[in-house]
Amino acid sequence: MTYRFLKLILSILVLVLLRPRVTGLHNIPKRGAVILASNHLSFIDSLLIPIMAPRHVAFLAKAEYWTGKGIKGRFSRWFFTKMGDIPVQRDDPRAGQRSLEDALAVLQRGGAFGIYPEGTRSRDGKLHKGHTGVAWLALTGKAPVVPVALLGTDKVKPIGKMPRFARVELHFGVPIDPSRQIAAGTKPAQARRELTEQVMQSIQAMSGQERADD
């Protein structure tokens, strides 16, 4: 109930202040495990996708959001907990693997999990090479991947600057079924790379971003 109320309030604020253009919501399965794989331009990306998506989408979030002090710390802890986000210790040498295990647990419960294949926010506006964790999750959790393209969120909250109002776009692409994309006999590492590239190509086609060479 708290999550639904919180999402309703945030949805109203987003619709009024950011006037989002949203397409492809019908591409998100109504039930069952699913991965929403998006480009990443701003801090608010992890808020916009769960607000606009018709599913409860879990994201990873830095553990510091749960450890703050005072009123701000308590509010942060309450907010990210109610949003269903998963804390991750970034200084933990096993943080990457633990994050994938936590994400897999969400999928095994039939939930929706949001991930940024690039790994971090793009500082130059380009679409950078995707990490294969998204493919590992899709293949291991037997979950379809819905590519997501965000536009304009970097103008709402530029890195290191105050928030501002600007129109944003969210495009949800056609689901990619990992079991149908990988040819029989493909080695696991190659299969993960091929699936990841298919996801990134779909994101790029919707976002129009230039691909980085890294």
Side-chain angles (χ1 to χ4, degrees), residues 3 46 80 98 182 190 193 195:
Y3 171 79
S46 298
F80 286 97
R98 291 183 190 277
I182 303 303
Q190 181 183 350
R193 173 44 58 194
L195 180 56

Side-chain angles (χ1 to χ4, degrees), residues 14 30 59 91 102 127 136-137 141 161 163 182 188:
V14 167
K30 294 182 179 180
F59 270 93
D91 56 353
D102 289 338
L127 186 66
W136 182 88
L137 276 177
K161 297 183 179 180
I182 303 303

Side-chain angles (χ1 to χ4, degrees), residues 170-184:
L170 294 86
H171 303 288
F172 298 90
V174 176
I176 298 174
D177 184 346
S179 65
R180 296 182 179 181
Q181 303 299 320
I182 303 303

Side-chain angles (χ1 to χ4, degrees), residues 57-189:
V57 184
F59 270 93
L60 296 175
K62 58 183 181 181
E64 289 86 341
Y65 290 138
W66 279 263
T67 59
K69 305 295 183 181
I71 296 177
K72 181 179 179 181
R74 288 196 295 270
F75 175 78
S76 176
R77 186 161 50 252
W78 173 83
F79 178 83
F80 286 97
T81 298
K82 294 305 180 183
M83 289 298 291
D85 291 330
I86 302 170
V88 56
Q89 293 283 355
R90 295 184 297 177
D91 56 353
D92 183 345
R94 293 194 65 244
Q97 185 58 38
R98 291 183 190 277
S99 298
L100 290 176
E101 292 169 358
D102 289 338
L104 183 60
V106 171
L107 298 177
Q108 290 174 335
R109 294 194 297 268
F113 184 79
I115 190 172
Y116 302 115
E118 293 170 279
T120 188
R121 284 177 287 180
S122 171
R123 293 180 176 271
D124 57 11
K126 296 180 180 180
L127 186 66
H128 292 258
K129 184 177 181 179
H131 297 283
T132 58
V134 61
W136 182 88
L137 276 177
L139 293 166
T140 306
K142 297 180 175 58
V145 181
V146 174
V148 183
L150 296 167
L151 291 84
T153 58
D154 53 332
K155 295 180 176 62
V156 176
K157 182 58 180 76
I159 298 175
K161 297 183 179 180
M162 294 296 292
R164 63 191 68 174
F165 300 141
R167 192 165 193 183
V168 299
E169 297 183 25
L170 294 86
H171 303 288
F172 298 90
V174 176
I176 298 174
D177 184 346
S179 65
R180 296 182 179 181
Q181 303 299 320
I182 303 303
T186 304
K187 294 181 179 179

